[in-house]
Amino acid sequence: MARGGFATLVGFVVAEVKQPAPMLPLALFRRRTFAGTNLLTFFLYAGLGGGLFFLPVNLIQVQGYSPAAAGASLLPIVLLVSLMSRSAGGLTAQWGARPLLIIGPLVAAGGFVLLAVPTTGGSYWTTFFPGMVTLGLGMGVTVAPLTTAVMGSVEAQHAGVASGVNNAVARAAGLLAVAALGLIVVARFDRVLDGELATMSLPDSVAKIVAAERGKLVAADFSDIGDGPLRTALGVAFARGYVAGFRASMLVCAGLAALGAACAFWMVESKSRSGPSGRLSSGKDSQRRRDPLAAVHDARGHAFANHHADPSRPDLIVPGRFLLSRPRVSMAVPRGLPSKTADR
């Protein structure tokens, strides 16, 4: 009895000391496609998250849009991503993900460049709309192929981990970009504002108010200044400073999107290469390996082929209504079965 209790205790200790399997196999990052798609996600979504954080501030505080109008101005991006996902998925099946993951971020980079062009004033349709449409086209081309490439670069049992890692990378990239681009916006804002203030002869009392409010950027409050024209001039100077900072941030976002395209060019494997082992195979074969329904279809297809070759094996007969394949299988009807079985 004592020996049995001692053995149980030893087994328990060994089980506790044994290291559990890691939730995130780090070996996944050794695969070029998995690492490349996550780097692409980081750079592209850093630009997207950072750019869309400072864009509404520009529209509302500088351009004078209402909050509802500023939100509606982003609809081209949402609509294009939604409408293009299906067609982009079809192009991925034909061309592979790599060409689309190069073209899409480059188009998105062009959209950021177009968003950096407007200054102050002007109609939405001639200032921000072209950049919104171009950015939406770039993201619409990228989103579906990116998901396909990430999920297709690992085995089926690691698909959930791959998806979680990619989502975490996208979220972290957006947060880091807001902090980093904030430094760029503030630095450029201060430089331009100092140049604007140098041309003004501000009294000491007004200079103190400006120094206290400049940290608020375009949300600065000059209501304590009694001189109306001076208040207007200070508002214009602050607006110019923020526009300069915003334009610099959009150019940085364009560079981040271009870096994402470079990652796809150098690291994402072409269509002929699929699976973690890098073995050459067609896209249809790789999809079959990861799709359990396709595997069942293959097994049933082999059963029909074997029965057709050897009608003496009734155990291999599968009713036609359970076929999962789209094309019809031409086969001879075994004796004793009604003719409708072959038509199903």
Side-chain angles (χ1 to χ4, degrees):
M1 187 71 179
R3 291 181 180 178
F6 179 75
T8 303
L9 178 61
V10 171
F12 176 78
V13 173
V14 170
E16 289 296 324
V17 172
K18 184 179 179 181
Q19 294 293 331
M23 295 181 62
L24 175 60
L26 298 180
L28 295 179
F29 291 95
R30 297 177 183 174
R31 298 166 186 173
R32 290 178 59 85
T33 298
F34 183 77
T37 50
N38 279 287
L39 281 176
L40 165 61
T41 300
F42 180 84
F43 289 123
L44 180 61
Y45 279 86
L48 184 67
L52 295 186
F53 180 85
F54 293 101
L55 177 60
V57 179
N58 185 9
L59 295 176
I60 296 173
Q61 298 290 345
V62 177
Q63 309 298 333
Y65 288 34
S66 66
S73 67
L74 301 177
L75 284 178
I77 301 176
V78 179
L79 293 177
L80 287 171
V81 172
S82 302
L83 295 175
M84 294 182 63
S85 294
R86 183 179 180 86
S87 58
L91 292 176
T92 304
Q94 295 179 5
W95 300 346
R98 184 171 179 265
L100 299 177
L101 294 182
I102 297 173
I103 296 173
L106 289 178
V107 174
F112 286 121
V113 172
L114 290 177
L115 289 176
V117 173
T119 54
T120 55
S123 171
Y124 165 76
W125 304 106
T126 59
T127 54
F128 292 96
F129 180 72
M132 297 287 189
V133 171
T134 307
L135 181 58
L137 288 173
M139 295 304 300
V141 171
T142 306
V143 171
L146 181 59
T147 303
T148 302
V150 170
M151 302 294 286
S153 63
V154 299
E155 299 92 339
Q157 62 268 29
H158 293 147
V161 174
S163 177
V165 169
N166 194 250
N167 288 332
V169 168
R171 301 299 180 270
L175 294 176
L176 293 175
V178 169
L181 291 178
L183 297 176
I184 295 174
V185 170
V186 171
R188 183 63 178 162
F189 171 83
D190 288 337
R191 184 175 179 180
V192 173
L193 182 61
D194 289 339
E196 293 286 335
L197 296 178
T199 61
M200 302 179 184
S201 298
L202 299 179
D204 293 339
S205 59
V206 175
K208 291 180 180 179
I209 295 175
V210 170
E213 295 291 328
R214 69 185 303 162
K216 300 178 182 178
L217 303 181
V218 286
D221 183 13
F222 302 117
S223 59
D224 294 338
I225 300 176
D227 190 349
L230 183 57
R231 286 200 309 268
T232 303
L234 289 174
V236 171
F238 272 66
R240 289 176 179 174
Y242 184 82
V243 168
F246 173 78
R247 298 175 75 178
S249 68
M250 290 297 102
L251 294 178
V252 172
C253 291
L256 291 173
L259 282 176
C263 292
F265 178 79
W266 291 108
M267 302 184 69
V268 176
E269 296 176 346
S270 59
K271 180 183 178 182
S272 61
R273 228 175 246 283
S274 65
S277 62
R279 184 171 58 86
L280 291 177
S281 61
S282 64
K284 188 181 293 184
D285 293 338
S286 63
Q287 179 64 24
R288 244 187 215 119
R289 287 199 304 271
R290 286 183 288 276
D291 190 352
L293 291 180
V296 173
H297 159 62
D298 289 342
R300 288 177 175 173
H302 289 308
F304 271 104
N306 291 336
H307 173 76
H308 182 64
D310 186 7
S312 64
R313 296 283 306 279
D315 57 308
L316 295 177
I317 297 175
V318 181
R321 63 177 176 273
F322 293 109
L323 281 178
L324 300 176
S325 59
R326 292 186 181 88
R328 293 181 178 271
V329 179
S330 177
M331 55 173 286
V333 181
R335 291 183 178 180
L337 292 179
S339 59
K340 293 183 180 179
T341 306
D343 297 333
R344 290 179 181 174

